[in-house]
Amino acid sequence: MADYILSEELKEAVQVAEITKRPLLLKGEPGTGKTLLASFLAETKKLPFYRWHIKSTSLAKEGLYFYDAVSRLNDSRFPEEEAMIRVRDVKNYIRLGALGEAFQQPNKAVVLIDEIDKADIEFPNDLLLELDKMEFFIPETKEHIIAKERPIVIITSNNEKELPDAFLRRCIFHYIEFPKRESMKEIIKAHFPSIETEFMEKALAMFYSIRKIESLRKKPSTSELLDWIQVLLVSGESLESNKIPFAGTLFKSEDDYRVYLN
């Protein structure tokens, strides 16, 4: 991921998290690179990478392990000796989650807990011990899993819910500011090394003028800007007029587009 630009502030936050051995909690607008940081760190440090994408129905236990009772029941239907031997050992039906896999690694790994605020409000509290002590217990097998090497844990949040204070105390916090113009130029050049300066300046002027409109429900993010530039470059469309070509790349709703036109 050579095209990921790590700011000095974010680099410092990562360093603090590694020194303190605490999870790094990232907040910021969508498209500011919160999720990509984890894979960037794994790639640059050459570490195993485990991603746990949180949904509204996610349970904290799922990131640790899962007992596949359905597979065990299905296997028990077969009378063959090999199948019955397998069924008798519950360990054959324990599947480790992202954290569980990272704990089992002989060396350090990177774990991404993505969009933790999508889950139930109690979800972060249910992970307090595991993230603090880096260990958990599997009742089905009576196993005590302890991290061989404490992983680098990156947690992202889009501020959909407030996170519990007890959870926040155990994290290093960093808010990723939306890139300023000069930083955005670096990001664009990393993705499009041969882009013409004049064209880039026109695209940025138009993009940041859109973001200044306070009444937009969803302001275009970095990812939308990069998609828009790619479409412009491939199509050969110019930016000579005030009209935005391929506006659907930047605006995600008809209402926002109408706000811009007015």
Side-chain angles (χ1 to χ4, degrees):
M1 292 191 62
D3 53 5
Y4 188 87
I5 305 298
L6 188 66
S7 69
E8 288 301 317
E9 295 81 9
L10 186 51
K11 188 185 298 183
E12 181 181 282
V14 171
Q15 184 180 22
V16 170
E18 288 193 84
I19 291 172
T20 59
K21 297 184 178 181
R22 291 186 179 275
L24 176 59
L25 173 62
L26 298 176
K27 291 187 180 183
E29 283 188 43
T32 50
K34 300 187 298 297
T35 297
L36 290 176
L37 174 66
S39 53
F40 171 77
L41 291 176
E43 185 176 305
T44 54
K45 294 176 179 289
K46 294 181 171 48
L47 300 175
F49 175 51
Y50 300 97
R51 176 172 178 166
W52 182 13
H53 186 72
I54 307 303
K55 303 175 183 178
S56 59
T57 55
S58 294
L59 301 174
K61 178 182 173 183
E62 295 168 354
L64 306 174
Y65 79 97
F66 170 70
Y67 169 42
D68 193 353
V70 175
S71 291
R72 192 181 192 191
L73 179 62
N74 185 60
D75 288 349
S76 68
R77 295 167 51 229
F78 300 97
E80 290 84 358
E81 183 180 355
E82 184 178 339
M84 295 314 295
I85 291 173
R86 176 176 171 80
V87 167
R88 282 195 288 269
D89 190 352
V90 70
K91 286 184 180 180
N92 293 320
Y93 301 93
I94 298 296
R95 312 281 185 258
L96 294 178
L99 277 171
E101 290 280 4
F103 287 5
Q104 292 287 65
Q105 282 290 324
N107 300 308
K108 189 179 292 187
V110 177
V111 178
L112 170 64
I113 304 178
D114 200 19
E115 299 187 333
I116 194 170
D117 51 323
K118 284 191 180 299
D120 182 85
I121 189 63
E122 288 304 318
F123 180 93
N125 282 334
D126 292 340
L127 280 176
L128 290 181
L129 177 63
E130 289 76 12
L131 290 176
D132 199 19
K133 301 295 184 182
M134 291 293 167
E135 61 184 65
F136 65 95
F137 182 68
I138 303 179
E140 289 84 354
T141 61
K142 306 295 188 291
E143 287 181 281
H144 196 192
I145 306 297
I146 302 175
K148 294 179 173 63
E149 184 77 29
R150 198 176 184 95
I152 300 171
V153 179
I154 306 295
I155 304 172
T156 71
S157 169
N158 288 323
N159 261 344
E160 291 187 14
K161 294 189 187 82
E162 284 294 323
L163 298 173
D165 289 343
F167 177 79
L168 294 175
R169 282 197 299 271
R170 288 166 170 80
C171 297
I172 300 299
F173 173 77
H174 181 73
Y175 184 88
I176 301 181
E177 297 285 350
F178 192 83
K180 293 189 168 50
R181 193 167 179 135
E182 289 305 310
S183 298
M184 191 65 84
K185 287 181 185 178
E186 289 185 48
I187 295 172
I188 293 172
K189 288 177 181 176
H191 284 80
F192 308 104
S194 59
I195 192 170
E196 294 180 2
T197 301
E198 183 179 355
F199 177 83
M200 179 176 63
E201 293 289 355
K202 286 181 180 178
L204 282 172
M206 193 170 284
F207 175 75
Y208 278 101
S209 69
I210 293 170
R211 283 190 53 86
K212 286 181 180 177
I213 303 173
E214 295 296 333
S215 52
L216 289 180
R217 188 181 64 83
K218 184 189 181 305
K219 296 181 180 182
S221 67
T222 306
S223 59
E224 275 117 22
L225 171 62
L226 295 175
D227 286 345
W228 183 52
I229 289 177
Q230 183 179 18
V231 173
L232 291 172
L233 291 173
V234 171
S235 67
E237 186 75 36
S238 67
L239 295 174
E240 298 304 324
S241 68
N242 290 328
K243 182 182 177 182
I244 300 178
F246 310 109
T249 316
L250 292 172
F251 298 104
K252 299 305 180 184
S253 73
E254 183 182 356
D255 290 341
D256 278 352
Y257 187 50
R258 284 177 175 170
V259 167
Y260 172 75
L261 291 178
N262 295 330

